[in-house]
Amino acid sequence: MNDIADVIRPKIDTTGIVERPRRLRTSPAMRSLVRESRINPDGFIQPLFVVPGTRLREPIPSMPGIERLSVDETVRECRELARLGVRAVLLFGIPESKDAAASSNYDPNGIVQRAAREIKNALPEMIVAADLCNCEYTDHGHCGIVDQSGYVDNDRTLEILVMTALTYARAGVDIIAPSDMMDGRVGAIRRALDADGYVRTTIMSYAAKYASAFYGPFREAADSAPAFGDRRTYQMDPGNAREALREVRLDVDEGADIVMVKPALAYMDVIRRVREAVDRPVATYNVSGEYAMVKAAGERGWIDEAQVVDEMLLGFARAGADIVITYFAKDYLRRHGG
Ligand code: PBG
């Protein structure tokens, strides 16, 4: 140290520093020893898009690495996922035909029903969840039956959801995941399942599902963008967190086994509040737009994709999510040798 520095060096009383949190960050082992939250790959659910046909793998441009798969390829993909350690998948169907009544949704031989049956046949241990909604099955792309004024009719939509849920249960679906946001749907589905003897079929409700721009790439993948208007009369307003607790409470009271907050990244406060409000497992959906943003920035070299993905997944755990539905599940387990 030269004379000048000696002259300007301030006098600091280091005996005053009693707390030294950095002690716990000195090495990887020390950091790992005191880590409060961890990523739990057992809680991952990998979404899959299923299309009619055979030997089909169609890339989705806005979701690099994700493909639309025919049923046979879906089974093949599930084998690979099981090998990597992914224990649950969430099915979305893209049907051959669409109409105003979403009738291809409750076809016992529909796309999701066939995929579920074949996955369970080939891999009985794999947990098969199925998204239950109408937007992929209606010609107008709304999540329910639309009346003359263009309004989505809640109670008529429930009939379609219940019929469809029964065909899913009969096809061997383990977890039915209603994502339509109609009022009263969880209770209606639970009663119908129980009356039919499907008391073990689980319901994971999209309880707090927001009207979000983060679903953009999904709608391209599932061909489910609304032909007119938007989903704001049924999905939640992004400004509301108290209302999320109300939606969650209603779904729990109606019989939801697992409740979900969706999207994830912009709604971490909601995940935390729901975690504290209910004793059910809490899921969050790391949606298509969140996937696309990370992939796009990663491809450009603007962020380190792998590190960002891990940080994001850890953040969901810290926020209180037990289950994470994420397009990164396979990537993550491949990287960490699951
Ligand atoms: C169906 C449904 C959507 C998503 C899951 N289920 C789309 C929507 O509500 O428009 C979005 C999933 C994603 O963006 O990854 N209603």
Side-chain angles (χ1 to χ4, degrees):
M1 203 58 71
N2 63 37
D3 293 347
I4 305 279
D6 274 346
V7 171
I8 61 167
R9 185 190 296 158
K11 288 250 174 304
I12 294 170
D13 176 8
T14 55
T15 62
I17 306 175
V18 179
E19 293 270 7
R20 290 194 182 264
R22 288 186 60 196
R23 255 181 228 133
L24 300 178
R25 299 178 199 140
T26 48
S27 69
M30 185 66 94
R31 292 192 289 275
S32 158
L33 185 73
V34 300
R35 192 161 295 137
E36 299 169 37
S37 296
R38 285 169 211 280
I39 297 168
N40 171 25
D42 288 347
F44 286 167
I45 302 181
Q46 173 83 44
L48 297 174
F49 298 102
V50 192
V51 290
T54 48
R55 299 231 209 105
L56 282 178
R57 284 188 166 258
E58 305 169 353
I60 300 159
S62 54
M63 300 180 73
I66 305 293
E67 297 161 313
R68 313 208 288 186
L69 308 171
S70 51
V71 172
D72 54 327
E73 290 295 330
T74 302
V75 174
R76 190 196 301 265
E77 182 70 12
C78 286
R79 274 187 214 285
E80 168 74 357
L81 290 169
R83 198 184 57 74
L84 289 167
V86 176
R87 318 183 103 159
V89 294
L90 174 62
L91 304 181
F92 292 93
I94 295 104
E96 237 147 306
S97 66
K98 304 177 187 240
D99 59 28
S103 49
S104 53
N105 205 0
Y106 48 87
D107 176 352
N109 269 317
I111 189 78
V112 167
Q113 291 86 344
R114 271 187 285 138
R117 230 179 269 128
E118 300 219 4
I119 296 167
K120 291 305 286 187
N121 263 339
L123 299 155
E125 307 278 287
M126 178 64 84
I127 295 176
V128 174
D131 184 272
L132 174 61
C133 197
N134 290 304
C135 56
E136 299 102 316
Y137 302 89
T138 52
D139 47 13
H140 47 64
H142 274 289
C143 301
I145 303 302
V146 173
D147 72 14
Q148 272 124 351
S149 71
Y151 189 73
V152 172
D153 184 323
N154 194 85
D155 299 10
R156 279 179 61 208
T157 302
L158 293 188
E159 295 170 17
I160 313 278
L161 294 171
V162 165
M163 286 194 288
T164 305
L166 287 171
T167 65
Y168 284 1
R170 287 176 193 136
V173 166
D174 299 293
I175 301 180
I176 293 180
S179 71
D180 51 283
M181 289 303 279
M182 296 300 117
D183 296 331
R185 88 263 209 225
V186 172
I189 294 164
R190 183 72 270 161
R191 284 189 293 275
L193 289 174
D194 289 354
D196 234 47
Y198 291 99
V199 293
R200 284 184 300 179
T201 306
T202 299
I203 297 179
M204 172 170 72
S205 75
Y206 288 70
K209 176 172 176 178
Y210 289 89
S212 171
F214 284 98
Y215 310 150
F218 172 96
R219 291 179 188 169
E220 181 195 343
D223 186 24
S224 66
F228 59 87
D230 54 41
R231 305 209 199 291
R232 289 174 209 268
T233 69
Y234 40 105
Q235 297 180 350
M236 285 182 55
D237 188 290
N240 298 352
R242 211 168 43 225
E243 189 190 12
L245 298 182
R246 181 178 182 216
E247 286 281 10
V248 165
R249 180 167 40 77
L250 287 171
D251 285 4
V252 167
D253 289 349
E254 290 177 28
D257 301 288
I258 301 169
V259 290
M260 192 200 302
V261 174
K262 177 188 171 196
L265 280 181
Y267 299 87
M268 296 286 232
D269 57 318
V270 180
I271 298 172
R272 166 53 43 195
R273 288 178 69 170
V274 169
R275 171 65 294 154
E276 282 165 9
V278 296
D279 61 3
R280 302 302 142 107
V282 174
T284 193
Y285 199 140
N286 180 207
V287 299
S288 59
E290 298 168 356
Y291 179 84
M293 290 194 304
V294 173
K295 282 285 175 186
E299 276 176 6
R300 285 169 175 73
W302 291 352
I303 57 169
D304 180 322
E305 179 187 321
Q307 288 196 42
V308 164
V309 169
D310 289 6
E311 188 175 332
M312 211 166 61
L313 295 171
L314 185 58
F316 302 145
R318 198 187 59 246
D322 306 294
I323 296 169
V324 180
I325 303 163
T326 178
Y327 302 97
F328 288 114
K330 185 180 180 187
D331 272 7
Y332 179 91
L333 279 158
R334 224 196 252 133
R335 258 190 299 116
H336 293 274

